[in-house]
Amino acid sequence: KKLLSILSNKQIDSFFIWSILGVIIGGRFGYVLFYQTSYFFTSPVYILKIWTGGMSFHGGLLGVIVAIFIFSKNKNTNFFKYSDIVACVAPIGLFLGRIANFINGELFGKISTLPWAVIFPYGGNIARHPSQIYEAILEGLVLFILINFLALKKHLIIKTGYVSSFFLITYSILRIFSENFREPDQHLGYLFNYFSMGTLLSILTLISGFLIIFFIKKNEQNN
């Protein structure tokens, strides 16, 4: 509520339309760039074929960043005031997205003998970690609770931009942890024989989160 108070109802509607477009366009663009790179360069029109499936969180994140940047420039407002709002609600989308992955039997986990392991239609006749559920809980529910506790707790004075940085840092840590249970993309495997694409991209967002804090503190010292 405190964060949303900076916007009128009309601005909120406009802002979320921009954000949704950023997620869709960026998510698809990022998926083709990061996970179907050959198509990106040889058949760019493939990016427009959304019906074939394939969205990337990190691509969606980039899309939202661009959308917020344009929107904040048009409104002549601090970028982080809007990004902090998105950070508070983004875990809801992450939760629903991972549940959809589980229902579709995609992005399944590694082979497991645990009692809650699941046999997925496209994963062979072998029980696997329901890694989508792990991610829904960690990147969705847990992240939502942590972020909103930080943003809405009355006795905490949170400076603009800290919620965004906390989101990037916490999401990245949870995603890197979750990747240990998730089967890497078959056509990519492990990069450098160890890192999945999701892990590499999450390392970049982790660094970005710390850089935001660094620049906020640096600007405070200069002012």
Side-chain angles (χ1 to χ4, degrees), residues 15-213:
F15 174 61
F16 278 108
I17 289 173
W18 275 81
S19 298
I20 291 170
L21 287 174
V23 168
I24 295 173
I25 297 172
R28 179 60 183 174
F29 184 90
Y31 173 76
V32 179
L33 176 61
F34 301 139
Y35 297 93
Q36 299 285 345
T37 311
S38 60
Y39 285 106
F40 184 83
F41 293 106
T42 60
S43 182
V45 71
Y46 181 71
I47 298 173
L48 303 177
K49 298 180 179 180
I50 298 177
W51 59 89
T52 62
M55 296 286 283
S56 163
F57 164 78
H58 294 92
L61 176 64
L62 289 175
V64 168
I65 289 173
V66 172
I68 295 174
F69 178 79
I70 296 172
F71 189 86
S72 61
K73 283 294 183 181
N74 288 338
K75 301 298 180 182
N76 196 28
T77 310
N78 188 328
F79 168 91
F80 288 114
K81 287 186 177 180
Y82 296 107
S83 65
D84 284 352
I85 294 173
V86 172
C88 289
V89 299
I92 299 174
L94 288 168
F95 175 82
L96 295 175
R98 294 310 180 194
I99 294 298
N101 292 149
F102 178 76
I103 293 172
N104 293 334
E106 58 193 8
L107 305 181
F108 45 75
K110 297 176 181 177
I111 297 171
S112 171
T113 56
L114 292 171
W116 57 81
V118 177
I119 297 177
F120 293 95
Y122 306 110
N125 192 29
I126 304 172
R128 297 175 176 275
H129 282 289
S131 57
Q132 313 96 323
I133 300 299
Y134 300 167
E135 292 190 70
I137 293 172
L138 293 174
E139 301 163 18
L141 295 179
V142 173
L143 185 57
F144 178 82
I145 292 170
L146 292 175
I147 288 290
N148 284 277
F149 174 83
L150 178 70
L152 303 178
K153 199 66 175 176
K154 292 183 180 179
H155 71 272
L156 293 175
I157 301 176
I158 304 301
K159 294 169 183 166
T160 302
Y162 274 52
V163 173
S164 299
S165 62
F166 186 73
F167 170 83
L168 290 174
I169 292 168
T170 309
Y171 168 83
S172 300
I173 293 171
L174 295 174
R175 175 65 183 271
I176 291 170
F177 174 76
S178 299
E179 286 287 322
N180 289 306
F181 303 95
R182 180 169 158 179
E183 193 74 29
D185 297 87
Q186 288 186 352
H187 63 291
L188 293 178
Y190 286 108
L191 306 175
F192 307 110
N193 296 320
Y194 188 78
F195 300 104
S196 66
M197 177 60 77
T199 297
L200 282 178
L201 293 174
S202 294
I203 290 173
L204 293 178
T205 52
L206 179 65
I207 295 171
S208 299
F210 283 114
L211 285 175
I212 290 173
I213 295 176

